[in-house]
Amino acid sequence: MPFAPPPSVDPLEIRHARALSLPFGRMAPRASGLAAGRSEFGIGLHFANELRLAGAVREDAETDRLLLDYRRGVGGGWTVGGSVALVSRGGGWMDGPIDFWHGLIGSTGTPRDGVPYGRSFVTGPGYSFGSATGLSDLDLRAVREFAGGWSAGGSVKLPTGRAAGLLGSGAVDGTVDVAKRWRSGRFRFLAQAGLTFQGRATRLPGARATVPQVLLMAAWAPNSRDAYLLQIQSETSAIRTGVGASDGTHRIGSLGYRRRVGAEKWVEVHFSEDDDIGFLRGSGLLGSGPDFAWGARYVVRF
């Protein structure tokens, strides 16, 4: 199998909590294309916990997602596919483990210190949401591979998620992006840039018309079975709230591991962090994002 980008690091899980279940700024890491007639199916379970208390923006919730993803090569260098998730947002279970993790990495003096566990609210200027469970919006996409490791693609998001529960935006969004991948010995690299065109969200005011994004990835594959991945993704905030801590650039780092478990089967795990890592805090390398996100995924080709 050609090398794929970081496992399951879906942008829906690595952005501000109010947009964790929305396709705002939607640009998934670009996987390699599929040959004509080949298919790929993935099923993943992903968790993201966020706490942000800044001015009028008050967010404390965990979003869990059961994600189904399908791709198929249709010839001419094209790969098409789609994804949908069962989403549940609530108080979650990771508050305690995240406090323990923050202690290990020297993350003290953050807004999370002393905050009660198990809360579930996402509020800001003109919006307020609590817990909710249901289907997400449906994402359809197409990618064309070119010579020299280049590829270009686009996607359309259909509003199948319930906007009143922050499970979808209530609008159609679209994205375009271009990517370049290359290799050097056992190392693989990916650079990707994209632009999302957001429709008018029905329950969230202040949605930006466009959201630019950049994604950089490096990976080390010491053998044919294992790959270790490092990724940084940066994008403009999905909505304007008037609160600087919320409206700035959102940027997080992710680590991933991919293991071949069969001729055409893989298991992937990942975790993501924002600017809470002590020795990186304030460096500008990372920024706004979930306090912690992680997940696992099983992938099979046929």
Side-chain angles (χ1 to χ4, degrees), residues 4-295:
S8 310
V9 185
D10 191 312
L12 298 187
E13 297 175 74
I14 62 176
R15 67 186 62 258
H16 213 326
R18 68 173 178 280
L20 279 173
S21 300
L22 296 178
F24 291 154
R26 174 94 171 156
M27 183 179 72
R30 176 65 55 74
S32 54
L34 296 173
R38 298 286 289 167
S39 294
E40 178 182 287
F41 174 75
I43 180 170
L45 189 59
H46 313 286
F47 308 90
N49 191 292
E50 175 70 278
L51 187 144
R52 185 170 309 281
L53 307 173
V57 175
R58 316 287 291 179
E59 304 175 353
D60 188 355
E62 179 176 309
T63 302
D64 304 334
R65 307 176 69 244
L66 176 64
L67 178 68
L68 303 178
D69 183 272
Y70 175 78
R71 301 192 302 141
R72 182 172 178 83
V74 294
W78 286 95
T79 299
V80 299
S83 62
V84 69
L86 176 64
V87 180
S88 180
R89 187 180 61 258
W93 57 273
M94 291 198 294
D95 288 331
I98 290 173
D99 278 349
F100 176 75
W101 163 251
H102 282 176
L104 289 179
I105 63 175
S107 179
T108 59
T110 71
R112 181 176 287 275
D113 294 348
V115 171
Y117 291 172
R119 303 191 302 181
S120 178
F121 55 82
V122 180
T123 63
Y127 61 88
S128 180
F129 301 92
S131 300
T133 299
L135 288 178
S136 70
D137 287 342
L138 174 64
D139 187 50
L140 303 174
R141 57 189 177 274
V143 177
R144 172 74 185 276
E145 302 288 325
F146 298 95
W150 289 94
S151 60
S155 66
V156 175
K157 186 274 302 175
L158 302 179
T160 54
R162 182 167 57 90
L166 197 61
L167 302 174
S169 69
V172 175
D173 296 343
T175 69
V176 292
D177 67 276
V178 61
K180 164 69 173 176
R181 61 164 46 86
W182 65 99
R183 61 184 297 172
S184 176
R186 296 184 183 274
F187 291 91
R188 309 289 189 272
F189 303 94
L190 171 72
Q192 187 173 342
L195 188 65
T196 290
F197 303 91
Q198 298 192 139
R200 185 180 296 275
T202 59
R203 297 300 181 103
L204 278 174
R208 298 181 188 272
T210 58
V211 176
Q213 304 133 309
V214 175
L215 183 149
L216 301 173
M217 188 229 29
W220 175 54
N223 53 59
S224 62
R225 296 179 301 175
D226 304 298
Y228 303 86
L229 308 103
L230 172 65
Q231 174 183 297
I232 294 178
Q233 182 162 338
S234 177
E235 60 187 39
T236 303
S237 65
I239 67 175
R240 296 183 178 92
T241 66
V243 178
S246 175
D247 293 353
T249 300
H250 295 179
R251 185 179 300 114
I252 74 156
S254 303
L255 293 175
Y257 170 67
R258 182 181 180 99
R259 172 78 174 184
R260 182 190 295 271
V261 294
E264 300 278 2
K265 301 173 183 177
W266 295 264
V267 173
E268 307 169 338
V269 294
H270 81 271
F271 80 91
S272 306
E273 254 287 4
D274 61 358
D275 201 28
D276 285 336
I277 300 176
F279 69 93
L280 292 177
R281 190 183 305 162
S283 67
L285 183 63
L286 302 179
S288 177
D291 281 351
F292 192 86
W294 73 278

